[in-house]
Amino acid sequence: MAGRSYVLQDQIGHLLRRAHQRATQIFLETFEQAGLTPTQWAALAMLAEEGAASQNALGRMTAMDPATIQGVIRRLEERGLITREPDPDDKRRTKLRLSEQGQELVREVTALGMRVTERTLEPLDAGDRRKFLEMLAKLS
C-alpha cells in the first residue's frame, strides 16, 4: 500500500452511498404522489408478499431495526394501510396485515416500485444489471 493514495471516489462505501442517494432520489420522485417513504413501501410490499407478520418478523424481513420498524408501522396504521390482529399461535403477539386500503394502494403503486428499479439501473445494459444485482445480493 506504500505510495498509494486514498482516492475517495474509488472507495466502495462512497460509491455505495452515492448509488443509494441516486436510488432514493428516484424513489422519492416516483412515489411522491403515493406519499410513501422507501421504508414504508418496503413494509407494505413485504406484507403484500407474506400476508401477515409480527412487527419483529417484518423488521427482520425488511432489514429495519426495532425503532425504525416501530415508527414505520405507527405511520402506516395512522394512514389506515395496515391493521393488527391477535396472533392465533401466540396471544402475547399481534400480526400485521394490509388493510383493504393498503391492499388497494399496493396494487396501484407496485408498478412504480418496478419503475424505480428500472430508472436506477438505466445506465447498465441487461447483462450488467443482472450481474450487479447478483453481486449486491452477495454483499448484503
Side-chain angles (χ1 to χ4, degrees):
M1 288 282 264
R4 291 185 55 191
S5 64
Y6 185 92
V7 178
L8 178 65
Q9 292 81 0
D10 294 339
Q11 305 309 311
I12 185 66
H14 178 74
L15 292 169
L16 285 173
R17 184 177 60 77
R18 300 240 354 241
H20 180 260
Q21 287 173 331
R22 181 173 185 274
T24 299
Q25 185 59 40
I26 290 168
F27 180 94
L28 294 173
E29 290 168 4
T30 305
F31 273 75
E32 183 176 14
Q33 290 197 330
L36 294 172
T37 65
T39 53
Q40 290 169 351
W41 171 241
L44 292 174
M46 187 57 71
L47 285 174
E49 187 178 321
E50 293 293 317
S54 70
Q55 183 171 304
N56 285 339
L58 185 60
R60 285 190 305 274
M61 289 185 283
T62 56
M64 288 184 234
D65 62 76
T68 301
I69 193 66
Q70 182 178 9
V72 167
I73 295 306
R74 182 177 37 77
R75 287 185 286 283
L76 293 174
E77 279 183 304
E78 288 170 358
R79 288 184 60 183
L81 299 174
I82 61 170
T83 60
R84 288 183 190 264
E85 59 188 44
D87 184 336
D89 299 325
D90 185 343
K91 299 299 181 205
R92 299 168 294 170
R93 219 174 26 200
T94 60
K95 290 236 176 185
L96 303 167
R97 285 190 182 281
L98 293 178
S99 65
E100 286 186 29
Q101 183 181 346
Q103 291 173 29
E104 184 177 323
L105 180 63
V106 167
R107 279 191 298 273
E108 290 172 4
V109 301
T110 295
L112 296 179
M114 292 187 278
R115 189 174 308 142
V116 169
T117 297
E118 280 297 311
R119 284 187 59 204
T120 302
L121 297 175
E122 215 168 47
L124 306 175
D125 66 34
D128 286 344
R129 288 177 188 195
R130 195 170 31 261
K131 188 68 177 165
F132 180 67
L133 292 173
E134 287 171 9
M135 289 187 290
L136 279 177
K138 282 183 182 180
L139 286 174
S140 62

